[in-house]
Amino acid sequence: MPDPRLRPVNGGTAHSLVSLRGIAKHFPGVIANADVDLDIRAGEIHALLGENGAGKSTLMNILTGIYQADAGEIAIDGKPVRFGSPLDAIAAGIGMVHQHFKLVQAFTVAENIHLGWGETPRLASARQLEARTAAIAEKFNLAVRPDARIHALSAGEQQRVEILRVLARDARVLILDEPTAVLTPSEARELFKALDAFRKSGNAVIFISHKLHEVLEISDRVTVLRGGRKVATHETKDCDHRMLAGLMVGREIVLGNYRDRSAEPGNDARPTVLELRNVCADDQRGLPALRNIDLAIRAGEILGIAGVAGNGQRELSQVITGIRPLVSGEILVGGKAVSHQDAAAFAAFGIGHIPEDRLRSGLAPSLSIDDNVVIREYKTDAVSRGPFFDPRAANRLARTIAADAEVAIPDFGMPVRNLSGGNQQRLVARREIRIARKVLVAAYPSRGLDIGAINTMLRYFVELRNQGVAVVLISEDLEELLSLSDRIAVLYEGRIMSVFDAESADMETIGLLMGGQTAAAPATSGARS
């Protein structure tokens, strides 16, 4: 868990580093922001909450110079400013780390830190850039490997590089968009320590997150947006989960236990729809990632996969959906061996996939929303007439899927990367649910979603389960797994530690198994039973 709540310097009386007054922004058919006021004080962590489409990203894009407001003004240290570009905002001390990192994967950490920076020495050698990077990292207490290539780093390490890029340019206000979405608990703790040091120097952090427990733990004040307007700003000490959720969505949100199966047959009575027998697979580096996996997935159940990120979850989801080849072992769908089939064949079998990285694995960022939403059904009568693709039919289907996903889209022809991360996730989810006749594999489906969207997503899974579809839910959120799953399998270093009924599970036992300890393991229902 993060450190206890951090408090602003000067007893909460610090001056405003940034003031936004009456900010408004309109897009065709959409009011993104309307008359928004926001003050960010020196020495505070200020959380910004709101559902997807509430206007958070637009407001921050205005503050960072990506967009220009249609009305309103921005003041830094009480002086009005106008940002014509992100360079103007950076020069004024405003820096943002986006949810999807913008690093050059083939470059080193040092090269990424210095890329496009006016203070980068001309004709500097790689060793000089690495030395400068090491000094910057030490100054801000963010450990990095200056000579490492970005593609070889974990998500947490890449995030530190993004933050260092901003801080090296003398940022006084650091904006973080869903900063813990791809971090392990230990990486999140390290991030919060760095934020604590940053704010104690009289700087400020704008913390955008859907994880209410983190907001309550680390922020000093909270501002909530809804429908493009500011609903309220409160001291965090005066808030709780229910209050914030209600402010965000405008109604009471109840996330309960979804495992009421009193009228359903027990696990043992449900047929196995997909089975892994002694499956081994390598990761993208060619190193063992899955080790002798035996797992039976049954019709009409939600099978939760628990584990700390990096223990084979990605490879397991890819194996089950035909993306990653096996080194050895066997996969059966409906009792038939399909181990050497490709991803298209697995989709034809009725296996849907909500991937961990929706933007790179679930979508083609440069293609239109139309193309991305119907891509799984190109060969069906829904979008084709014989061998010919029908754009009008594709648009009709895309609009239907978007409506089911409750995503408002002004232009279906624009690149899908222009949508918020949460809306991308919702579209991918509804697209994959359409083809999941037998199994839906959902890897971290709640990442980047607001509490209302999470509630809707989880109910999608319950509806699928109740229709007889198997759902494989991969998550680091143990509360989510315990409230939703019928059985839980714990994955550690590519091995299934145990599989047991969720009703008999507890967090302490799961936590021990996630750490590789087996002494306190519960009685299992059998990995293949």
Side-chain angles (χ1 to χ4, degrees), residues 304-343:
I305 306 294
V308 177
N311 278 273
Q313 292 95 324
R314 175 184 298 177
E315 290 79 11
L316 179 64
S317 70
Q318 292 174 341
V319 160
I320 294 174
T321 53
I323 296 172
R324 184 170 296 276
L326 306 186
V327 172
S328 61
E330 192 174 28
I331 299 178
L332 295 92
V333 174
K336 297 181 180 180
V338 296
S339 305
H340 302 294
Q341 301 278 7
D342 60 14

Side-chain angles (χ1 to χ4, degrees), residues 423-471:
N423 283 338
Q424 292 170 6
Q425 180 80 322
R426 292 163 82 155
L427 286 176
V428 170
R430 290 306 303 184
R431 183 190 72 193
E432 297 302 308
I433 284 170
R434 283 178 60 88
I435 70 167
R437 298 184 306 279
K438 287 189 171 69
V439 181
L440 176 68
V441 180
Y444 311 102
S446 299
R447 279 183 178 170
L449 296 185
D450 56 71
I451 192 167
I454 290 172
N455 192 39
T456 300
M457 179 83 67
L458 299 189
R459 293 193 182 281
Y460 288 164
F461 299 158
V462 172
E463 291 169 5
L464 275 181
R465 179 199 69 186
N466 293 345
Q467 293 166 13
V469 176
V471 178

